[in-house]
Amino acid sequence: DGGITQSPKYLFRKEGQNVTLSCEQNLNHDAMYWYRQDPGQGLRLIYYSQIVNDFQKGDIAEGYSVSREKKESFPLTVTSAQKNPTAFYLCASSPLGPMNTEAFFGQGTRLTVV
Amino acid sequence: DAKTTQPNSMESNEEEPVHLPCNHSTISGTDYIHWYRQLPSQGPEYVIHGLTSNVNNRMASLAIAEDRKSSTLILHRATLRDAAVYYCILRDGRGGADGLTFGKGTHLIIQP
């Protein structure tokens, strides 16, 4: 089945450690996105990419890094510089082109830093 | 980026229609109006989108004001499974990568 997969669903890390969240899509979408969601809040954009080897900062990029070495993969690294990393992280992908059709989201990774 | 404004929450009864409003007074001529919904502990899912004309699909209807400064998502017969946060966003139809910016959305509560 075509779709977008995030792994793992739950992740626990000790404070001060970097952690990488996986996002893979087999929809042949050009654009991919990472969001952070805190309890009771909306989605805040961290990074997005429209093409391999290119990405742009979103509203809250500090303390995060990404790479886009392959079209289907857009991993997010939460670095030790991120002051409050515990959150629900969502990845999305979307085709590009006229009308900008629907975006597809993964099921999310819930990161807890202790 | 053009912004949208939605009520924080709305409540409705099961099996009744629900009208979810969205204001987007700074919408540009190339912006499409998209709606997504997010069930608890899940990623958002696409509901519907439109440009100028009203749109219908199996999930909902989208009514767009003539001046395009507001729109309304219509759930014709709400069920308990429709309880979710509904997001109204604008996407530029010219095809470039945009930030796909979400606001806080409307938390829809369905009473049995």
Side-chain angles (χ1 to χ4, degrees):
Chain A
D1 277 3
I4 181 164
T5 302
Q6 290 186 243
S7 60
K9 191 169 182 177
Y10 298 96
L11 191 54
F12 294 87
R13 278 295 182 270
K14 290 185 178 179
E15 196 172 338
Q17 290 181 333
N18 290 355
V19 60
T20 297
L21 281 58
S22 170
C23 179
E24 304 276 333
Q25 53 101 358
N26 60 5
L27 301 165
N28 199 33
H29 288 169
D30 289 305
M32 296 187 75
Y33 308 82
W34 272 107
Y35 296 88
R36 169 186 174 133
Q37 189 172 37
D38 294 289
Q41 302 298 310
L43 281 68
R44 292 188 290 168
L45 182 65
I46 304 173
Y47 271 98
Y48 65 101
S49 166
Q50 64 173 337
I51 195 170
V52 172
N53 293 324
D54 186 52
F55 43 83
Q56 287 76 41
K57 292 182 179 180
D59 299 320
I60 56 166
E62 186 175 348
Y64 299 97
S65 66
V66 292
S67 63
R68 188 88 187 274
E69 296 178 3
K70 298 185 296 182
K71 187 176 184 178
E72 57 269 23
S73 178
F74 192 40
L76 173 75
T77 297
V78 184
T79 75
S80 56
Q82 169 51 234
K83 297 194 185 313
N84 188 16
T86 295
F88 187 47
Y89 291 88
L90 286 158
C91 180
S93 71
S94 171
L96 291 179
M99 301 191 295
N100 269 344
T101 53
E102 62 185 280
F104 290 79
F105 282 81
Q107 289 304 296
T109 293
R110 195 168 297 279
L111 174 65
T112 303
V113 175
V114 295
Chain B
D1 288 340
K3 301 295 184 192
T4 62
T5 305
Q6 300 176 253
N8 288 335
S9 66
M10 290 185 64
E11 201 166 311
S12 183
N13 295 321
E14 199 176 7
E15 299 187 4
E16 290 186 356
V18 179
H19 291 233
L20 296 165
C22 180
N23 288 320
H24 27 79
S25 58
T26 59
I27 191 170
S28 74
T30 56
D31 284 333
Y32 279 74
I33 302 156
H34 284 238
W35 283 82
Y36 288 78
R37 72 178 187 180
Q38 185 178 21
L39 301 171
S41 298
Q42 295 188 26
E45 63 173 345
Y46 166 83
V47 177
I48 200 166
H49 76 283
L51 183 63
T52 56
S53 303
N54 294 344
V55 184
N56 300 297
N57 67 20
R58 63 174 180 82
M59 289 181 72
S61 296
L62 176 59
I64 301 172
E66 198 168 334
D67 65 4
R68 301 208 327 123
K69 292 186 177 182
S70 66
S71 61
T72 302
L73 179 71
I74 302 166
L75 306 179
H76 294 286
R77 194 162 166 267
T79 70
L80 295 177
R81 288 177 294 181
D82 291 320
V85 178
Y86 287 78
Y87 298 97
C88 166
I89 68 170
L90 302 179
R91 298 201 71 189
D92 192 335
R94 287 172 291 182
D98 57 348
L100 197 55
T101 302
F102 285 74
K104 293 186 177 180
T106 297
H107 183 200
L108 177 63
I109 299 164
I110 304 295
Q111 298 288 357

